[in-house]
Amino acid sequence: MHTPSKPYLLAAPLAIFLALTFGVSLSIGVSGLTPEHFYAVFANRDFTVSLVATLSVAAIATLISNVGGAVLAFFMLKVATGRAWVRHSLQLPIIMPHLVVTIIVFHFFAQTGIIARLAWWAGLIEHPNQFPLLVFDRLAIGIILVYLYKQIPFVAMVCFDSLKSISHRFGEAGENLGATPWQVAMWIYLPLLRPTLLATILITFAFAFGAFEVPFLLGTPAWRTLPVEAYVLYTNIDPGARERAMTINVTIAAISLGLALIYSKTERLIAHYRADGEGRI
Amino acid sequence: MARVTLLGVTMTFDAKQILDRLDLDIKNGELVALLGPSGSGKTTLLKLIAGLLSPSAGQVLFDGVDVTTVPARKRQAIIVFQDHCLFPHMTVRENIAFGLRARSESRLAIDKKVSHILQVVQLPERGGSYPHELSGGEKQRIALARACVLEPRVLLLDEPFSNLDVNLRISMREFVVALQRELKLTCVLVTHDKEEAFAMAERVAVLLDGRLEQVDTAENLYAKPANRKVAAFLGECNFLPGKILAGRFHCCLGAFPVDLPDSDHATGMLRYEHLEVRRSGDEVRGRIVGRAFAGRHTTYRIELDSGAVLTAAACQELYSVGDAVSVACAERDMNVYIG
């Protein structure tokens, strides 16, 4: 229902964020964020490491989850269409909170976790240290596993719905014209799926880039992702650290806003495809 | 081009029989129409020939070679779909080149063939357009071009004109027939439109409830339908109950010579337009009980003195309800079936 106050309510979180970022900083005697604050933060090696690490984790998780999700969607279309159990089994990870998945990953993949214990029980390892480091590790495997567990089903469900809306007759026509199943997938379905995949790539990347609790709980002490770095700086007793935290927050917000704008453009593209009545998604 | 032979082709979906032991032989370079109402199994049969479906029983032969298990992509029996099925993300040239690319032909050869076929379908300037920028007739031509550029062994047309308006439909029919003759294509046209089948095909195969009831020229089908179902499907007609005695069929319109054995249960079939209506005469008498103007002709419901009610289509003299008339028909126009 539309009410006059709705836009203000929707904009309230952004207003609070800006007030906390700039207003609070003023209240503690700082003159506000200036380009110098950004230069100082960007010149800091810890920030650069955090930025590269955050972008890398987000990019790897996005790449794997979108490729995996799209492949799973094709599999569902070809093999499992109409089988409710497949859909239900994908819905479960989507509705499960990230925090719960984080704990599951920790219990399964830690060096003292269930898999390590099974490996010990099977005689494959004799000591927890012999089990590969999959959580709190420098390669962020544990963090990426949490993202994949949530994001592969999400991408698969969205792509599956899109694939279903694309006329199956395109596939028949392609096969009839002499294309192999691989050519049909690559030349027909994948291009038609492109707008949807662009949207899922942006959504999954934005989430992985801005997520706090997963890297906070499963991250390595060697480096921090940007949201964790911002949190640590913000809770630091040194008031000067807050400027850096706010600068990082603004950087994260700017990148997220950029992604939101690209997503908005993509949505328009999808709407255009839908409107042309030719079976496009 | 190939000669297409169907031997005992049967198709069953979920215990429901869609096609029942079909036998059909289509000559090399011939255009045959598969004519039937919606749900009669026409498109299923087309997909069986194309290899998009496998028959539950029976064989599909191209030039005498069994291709029943050959996958669709290797069969070279190309369908022009009812809704064209042009790939929306590809230009016209890319759509036409699709099958050639799948065959891994060289870019040069593809360009040459695509340009040539665009000339053939008279749309050389549309190569860079996307499907949503084309009119219905243009889409139809591009779909045909995409199929013909592959030089298919069999061209399969699945109700290709049903989405076009009447004038465009007629011109596209002529275009397709000319193209089929120019390229000497073996062609199967699926349609529920009798006029379209009669106008285009050298032979028409009538498919009713999954059974191939009759395969013949349009003229023979219309004049001498094999049974009552075919007769009723192909045009409006009167069915006259009667008997066959000593080589003559006796009904409310008199006695007609037939080459059938004696039977107490026989039915005569007479097309509306073959029932002659006159103001007076020595023929069977009756009166007009209903009239409907239908443009080129007027249909009359006529109640005979014997109580039988027949329908006639006349285009010359006008009668009014209640008029006394007499009716008659030529012996050659009466088709008689046992039962």
Side-chain angles (χ1 to χ4, degrees):
Chain A
M1 190 180 71
H2 181 77
T3 58
S5 60
K6 193 173 179 181
Y8 303 104
L9 287 172
L10 290 173
L14 181 64
I16 292 168
F17 168 76
L18 291 172
L20 285 171
T21 302
F22 296 104
V24 172
S25 68
L26 292 172
S27 72
I28 59 173
V30 181
S31 60
L33 289 181
T34 62
E36 282 69 31
H37 289 107
F38 288 94
Y39 295 144
V41 167
F42 291 158
N44 186 305
R45 192 179 172 279
D46 286 349
F47 172 81
T48 313
V49 169
S50 285
L51 180 63
V52 170
T54 311
L55 288 172
S56 302
V57 169
I60 292 167
T62 301
L63 178 72
I64 299 174
S65 57
N66 279 275
V67 170
V71 169
L72 191 55
F74 276 113
F75 169 78
M76 288 165 67
L77 188 75
K78 281 282 172 195
V79 180
T81 300
R83 295 185 189 175
W85 66 268
V86 177
R87 209 175 171 82
H88 293 324
S89 60
L90 289 176
Q91 281 167 341
L92 184 65
I94 293 172
I95 59 172
M96 201 178 283
H98 276 86
L99 203 56
V100 175
V101 181
T102 303
I103 293 165
I104 290 172
V105 166
F106 176 78
H107 277 296
F108 270 85
F109 295 100
Q111 286 184 311
T112 54
I114 293 168
I115 296 174
R117 290 175 197 209
L118 287 173
W120 172 81
W121 180 76
L124 298 173
I125 59 171
E126 292 176 355
H127 194 271
N129 285 344
Q130 292 174 302
F131 189 75
L133 194 62
L134 298 176
V135 291
F136 313 126
D137 60 309
R138 295 175 70 92
L139 296 174
I141 293 170
I143 298 170
I144 292 171
L145 282 174
V146 174
Y147 293 156
L148 296 187
Y149 182 79
K150 292 279 295 177
Q151 291 178 350
I152 287 177
F154 166 71
V155 174
M157 292 282 277
V158 174
C159 288
F160 177 63
D161 284 340
S162 280
L163 283 172
K164 277 201 307 182
S165 74
I166 298 170
S167 171
H168 75 282
R169 291 164 68 84
F170 288 131
E172 277 189 349
E175 189 187 354
N176 183 240
L177 290 166
T180 61
W182 174 255
Q183 288 169 333
V184 168
M186 291 295 111
W187 295 356
I188 300 173
Y189 283 114
L190 198 59
L192 290 173
L193 197 59
R194 199 179 296 154
T196 304
L197 268 177
L198 186 55
T200 57
I201 284 169
L202 290 169
I203 291 169
T204 50
F205 184 86
F207 178 82
F209 182 76
F212 166 73
E213 72 272 38
V214 181
F216 183 72
L217 292 171
L218 296 180
T220 174
W223 51 263
R224 299 187 189 108
T225 61
L226 284 183
V228 175
E229 180 74 7
Y231 173 76
V232 170
L233 288 172
Y234 206 84
T235 53
N236 196 310
I237 55 167
D238 173 13
R242 292 198 175 181
E243 291 171 27
R244 300 204 298 278
M246 290 160 199
T247 309
I248 292 172
N249 278 344
V250 171
T251 306
I252 294 171
I255 293 172
S256 300
L257 192 63
L259 290 173
L261 287 173
I262 296 171
Y263 179 70
S264 165
K265 294 276 183 193
T266 314
E267 274 281 277
R268 275 182 228 165
L269 185 67
I270 293 170
H272 168 73
Y273 282 167
R274 279 186 180 133
D276 75 8
E278 273 283 351
R280 281 188 181 188
I281 47 174
Chain B
M1 293 160 298
R3 175 183 172 187
V4 179
T5 310
L6 306 178
L7 294 176
V9 168
T10 299
M11 190 67 194
T12 308
F13 281 128
D14 297 331
K16 188 185 173 195
Q17 195 151 51
I18 308 297
L19 297 173
D20 187 11
R21 290 164 290 166
L22 299 193
D23 293 313
L24 180 63
D25 191 33
I26 302 166
K27 294 192 282 274
N28 211 332
E30 186 182 25
L31 197 165
V32 168
L34 275 176
L35 178 64
S38 298
S40 60
K42 306 184 297 292
T43 300
T44 302
L45 183 54
L46 211 64
K47 287 185 174 181
L48 284 171
I49 297 172
L52 292 171
L53 293 173
S54 297
S56 310
Q59 289 178 299
V60 179
L61 284 74
F62 286 2
D63 287 332
V65 178
D66 188 355
V67 294
T68 314
T69 55
V70 174
R73 67 175 185 275
K74 293 182 178 171
R75 211 179 275 200
Q76 290 180 265
I78 310 294
I79 300 180
V80 175
F81 290 93
Q82 186 175 5
D83 54 359
H84 323 302
C85 252
L86 297 176
F87 306 126
H89 58 294
M90 295 183 193
T91 63
V92 163
R93 286 192 79 88
E94 288 167 344
N95 262 285
I96 296 172
F98 184 92
L100 300 170
R101 267 179 77 202
R103 283 185 191 169
S104 303
E105 294 203 14
S106 72
R107 189 177 291 272
L108 199 66
I110 291 173
D111 279 348
K112 199 173 164 186
K113 287 182 181 179
V114 171
S115 298
H116 172 70
I117 202 72
L118 278 171
Q119 294 281 353
V120 173
V121 297
Q122 297 158 19
L123 290 171
E125 75 290 353
R126 285 307 224 163
S129 304
Y130 281 90
H132 69 272
E133 296 168 335
L134 304 176
S135 68
E138 287 174 332
K139 282 181 189 171
Q140 192 64 67
R141 288 179 189 216
I142 298 305
L144 274 167
R146 188 175 67 174
C148 292
V149 78
L150 297 173
E151 296 171 21
R153 301 183 74 188
V154 190
L155 181 66
L156 306 165
L157 306 168
D158 185 9
E159 309 233 18
F161 315 118
S162 57
N163 293 333
L164 306 179
D165 62 55
V166 178
N167 292 333
L168 190 56
R169 200 180 304 167
I170 291 166
S171 67
M172 280 305 296
R173 276 181 205 162
E174 291 167 356
F175 177 80
V176 169
V177 170
L179 191 70
Q180 183 260 338
R181 286 183 185 151
E182 184 186 333
L183 302 177
K184 298 182 175 65
L185 292 166
T186 304
C187 194
V188 181
L189 166 73
V190 156
T191 182
H192 64 270
D193 184 337
K194 295 179 281 285
E195 198 180 312
E196 186 171 286
F198 290 171
M200 291 180 70
E202 291 160 61
R203 286 190 301 153
V204 178
V206 180
L207 190 63
L208 300 173
D209 299 325
R211 283 176 164 272
L212 213 47
E213 298 286 352
Q214 191 173 358
V215 185
D216 212 330
T217 61
E219 293 82 0
N220 284 347
L221 271 178
Y222 192 76
K224 297 288 172 193
N227 54 45
R228 289 178 59 169
K229 278 162 74 178
V230 175
F233 177 68
L234 290 179
E236 295 163 321
C237 52
N238 295 290
F239 288 111
L240 316 169
K243 291 179 180 179
I244 300 173
L245 287 171
R248 291 183 77 79
F249 171 65
H250 299 266
C251 66
C252 59
L253 289 177
F256 300 84
V258 289
D259 192 15
L260 290 169
D262 287 1
S263 173
D264 286 341
H265 301 285
T267 305
M269 187 283 289
L270 187 66
R271 298 254 175 240
Y272 286 1
E273 65 271 26
H274 292 154
L275 183 63
E276 294 171 30
V277 186
R278 294 172 192 157
R279 286 231 176 254
S280 61
D282 298 331
E283 301 86 351
V284 181
R285 302 194 64 80
R287 63 185 178 85
I288 305 287
V289 293
R291 190 179 97 153
F293 178 68
R296 282 182 290 184
H297 64 263
T298 304
T299 57
Y300 296 100
R301 299 282 290 163
I302 302 157
E303 186 177 338
L304 305 185
D305 290 347
S306 63
V309 178
L310 302 179
T311 305
C315 53
Q316 305 219 331
E317 198 166 354
L318 287 177
Y319 302 96
S320 303
V321 173
D323 283 359
V325 293
S326 65
V327 293
C329 75
E331 288 179 351
R332 65 174 183 279
D333 294 329
M334 180 68 77
N335 288 278
V336 181
Y337 310 106
I338 302 280

